[in-house]
Amino acid sequence: MERMEQKIQEYARLLIDVGLNLRRGQTLVISASVECAAFARLCAAAAYERGCREVVMNWGDDFLSRERYLHADGAVFDDVPAWRRHFYNDYAAEGAARLAIDAADPETLSGVETERVVRAQRAAGEALDPFYRAQMNNEFPWCVASVPIPSWARKVFPGEAEDAAMQKLWDAILATVRVTGDGTAAEKWRAHLATLEARRDRLNALRLRTLRYRNGLGTDLTVALPEGCLWSSGRSVTPAGQAFVANMPTEEIFTAPHRLGVDGVVYAAMPLVDNGNVIDGFHFVVRGGRIVEAHAERGEEFLKAAYTVDEGASYFGEVALVPYDSPISRQGLLYYNTLFDENARCHFAFGEAYPECIEGGTAMTRAELRERGLNRSINHVDFMVGTPDLSIVGTTRDGREVPVFVDGNFAL
Amino acid sequence: MERMEQKIQEYARLLIDVGLNLRRGQTLVISASVECAAFARLCAAAAYERGCREVVMNWGDDFLSRERYLHADGAVFDDVPAWRRHFYNDYAAEGAARLAIDAADPETLSGVETERVVRAQRAAGEALDPFYRAQMNNEFPWCVASVPIPSWARKVFPGEAEDAAMQKLWDAILATVRVTGDGTAAEKWRAHLATLEARRDRLNALRLRTLRYRNGLGTDLTVALPEGCLWSSGRSVTPAGQAFVANMPTEEIFTAPHRLGVDGVVYAAMPLVDNGNVIDGFHFVVRGGRIVEAHAERGEEFLKAAYTVDEGASYFGEVALVPYDSPISRQGLLYYNTLFDENARCHFAFGEAYPECIEGGTAMTRAELRERGLNRSINHVDFMVGTPDLSIVGTTRDGREVPVFVDGNFAL
């Protein structure tokens, strides 16, 4: 047990040191559920050890969020109060680091009117636009990580008693973030990030123009990549030169598709948890970049709500490559949490693209990004498409065909 | 245990129904430590049952507050960010109800530089003035109540294991708020408030000009009451006519002294917890209303910080009468929490006076209140002075002497 506590302590330090690479004198905002208070405290203590200016908490609670969606006056979902605008936008403008401890019951909003969730999302998209924009542009260091909470652990390990499920989810998460007790996690992350960067460099060198995805689920999708597209991996950098890791764990190499250049059919390979609901057994038909049809065996209304929240949500914003034999995939778990599930499988996102995925993108206006083909939306929803038989064939800008994925893994 | 859960549920409903008397369509802001999340959720659910517009949480955490005071950049204590100003001042302006669940380790700020706490208090006093003012004026319904947390329970019951201490503190608190399982607490509160109001009416009818306090501790203090002074008790009323109970429990009848009319020596009868530190064995020497000397056996620096935070903090703002045989006093506990300890004993407060304590006061400007003798400060610190031998002799405006307290209890 003491060893477990040491690992959890090391994990908290890893998020501050490697995830955020927090600077002396920098403010840190931590978003966490009240159920994660013990871990949030460890992160705060680690931040102060590094000379953090101030740790500001942004607490949440699944139960109260759900009660609010169920029972509050509908008008509250159309409005974001001034204090909340200032909370998000002012810390973003100051360049405060942000740590999101993302742990939730996957079905926390089951039974809630989808329309309320959509209204809230639209209102936040508008009111907190300066924050979201700064985050997508990497203007401050940010890191999304996770720790177990009971409701979630029970969903991942449904046969287990709560304590055992919590312990198993801790073990699984600590493995994904390379906190294993043998050697320091920070060193392992340096090696891991270098591996991802080497892979990223090989992809960038290919100068791919299109990718064609095919597998036995029925996926047959062609994805055009914009001129000047850049593949990215684990490490991002702020304009001031502060390197950070936006997702821990991370196993992906990702870029942005041309928003009008996606065509075909794509089948989800895993359930998706979006806005507190599970969506499963779904596929999209895409024409000229736009999702023109979508069907889900479960949660179709939530899927439709997600890709119609604004016009851009019906277009793709991310293409990410993760080998089927990635360490998270080999755990064989369904996490019901995109942070983990997207790092087990190749995935796409519909919605907003990351400006860093095109040369000079973080310095471009939105109009310029759009003209270059990068999608804009208040949403960004990753969904998993990788399977053991996935094939991805690339075509380079000079017309060569290159196998990128064969049988679910990198062929490069 | 099930019975215990029912009582706690009844307590949550009592706070919403009687404490706040929450109106349909009214916003509710709940301040609570993350350790009190389970109880905060019950209160929120009870509020939505009554048609609450929205429950907004203001979470706190002892550990993180302490870390901040110990390790944050000093400059953060001089500033209140815009989001926090809006949070407090905007909900106050809207007339949102406020429930404060006040539970803390009594020594949570032990070892913190007092100067940092004072700077933070001054900055908040200025930035959140619209909120504090609206609260002192009863412009919105507010209620302070409490539930056990482990660090606090261990202090109240130092000989007990944590679980037993928590259970004992729950039992004690539920008794103070009349949630006893025999008959409904709401009905008991109606009767209790009527008893307090009858006592209040007798005091008001006397038209007292001064009170002289004496006991064997060495207290000999004369307190002048301003012209038009009004005694108040448990129930307050907003300008819109919404009756509420600002403290649960409450056993006191209180008014405001003339800020320049307090003279003599007064000895504390109980330790005081202020700003996360314990102050004990203290007395004040008061001349022309002003505290000119103060000594404490323990925590003297915290006491001095409290009554010098601004000019008005050195003058008295409240005179409150609580019989020594009040139910909370008979429990024989030292709660280390003013909400309870002040309802076991006669007490004073130094700092701000309540405008409701003078005829027409809630409609007066600050200058008018001051001219009438009511004190103004960013602070309001209650301290307990009642003893079994306390005598209070009143002098009426027409010159009669009236025994108000004899041997620690009401003589009226």
Side-chain angles (χ1 to χ4, degrees), chain B residues 295-314:
Chain B
H295 298 286
E297 287 165 21
R298 179 181 173 193
E300 190 170 286
E301 65 171 299
F302 311 123
L303 185 63
K304 295 212 158 152
Y307 79 79
T308 59
V309 67
D310 60 10
E311 201 243 339
S314 294

Side-chain angles (χ1 to χ4, degrees), chain A residues 15-63:
Chain A
L15 296 179
I16 301 302
D17 293 351
V18 176
L20 295 171
N21 184 21
L22 192 74
R23 286 195 172 165
R24 177 164 289 277
Q26 189 165 36
T27 300
L28 169 61
V29 179
I30 302 180
S31 300
S33 148
V34 297
E35 292 174 273
C36 303
F39 187 71
R41 290 175 189 150
L42 291 178
C43 295
Y48 282 124
E49 275 173 28
R50 268 181 84 101
C52 183
R53 173 182 161 86
E54 181 184 16
V55 176
V56 181
M57 292 302 305
N58 183 18
W59 294 109
D61 183 62
D62 272 1
F63 177 89

Side-chain angles (χ1 to χ4, degrees), chain B residues 23-161:
Chain B
R23 286 195 172 162
R24 177 164 289 278
Q26 190 165 35
T27 300
L28 169 60
V29 179
I30 303 180
S31 299
S33 146
V34 297
E35 292 174 275
C36 304
F39 188 71
R41 290 174 189 152
L42 291 177
C43 295
Y48 282 124
E49 275 173 27
R50 269 180 84 101
C52 183
R53 172 181 162 86
E54 181 184 17
V55 176
V56 182
M57 292 302 304
N58 183 18
W59 294 109
D61 183 62
D62 272 1
F63 177 90
L64 290 171
S65 296
R66 181 179 166 77
E67 284 282 300
R68 181 172 176 271
Y69 275 121
L70 287 172
H71 304 301
D73 186 322
V76 309
F77 303 109
D78 297 323
D79 185 49
V80 176
W83 73 265
R84 200 163 191 88
R85 293 171 196 251
H86 279 286
F87 187 92
Y88 280 85
N89 299 336
D90 294 359
Y91 286 120
E94 177 192 323
R98 282 194 84 106
L99 175 62
I101 301 171
D102 174 19
D105 176 346
E107 302 194 68
T108 187
L109 296 191
S110 138
V112 161
E113 279 176 44
T114 306
E115 179 247 354
R116 293 189 150 210
V117 180
V118 168
R119 283 160 74 185
Q121 197 176 7
R122 284 188 184 134
E126 191 176 315
L128 312 184
D129 180 62
F131 161 74
Y132 289 123
R133 192 167 182 193
Q135 182 170 36
M136 293 303 276
N137 261 335
N138 295 329
E139 288 171 18
F140 53 81
W142 54 281
C143 180
V144 182
S146 195
V147 296
I149 59 171
S151 56
W152 175 32
R154 284 195 308 263
K155 208 76 78 180
V156 182
F157 299 100
E160 304 284 348

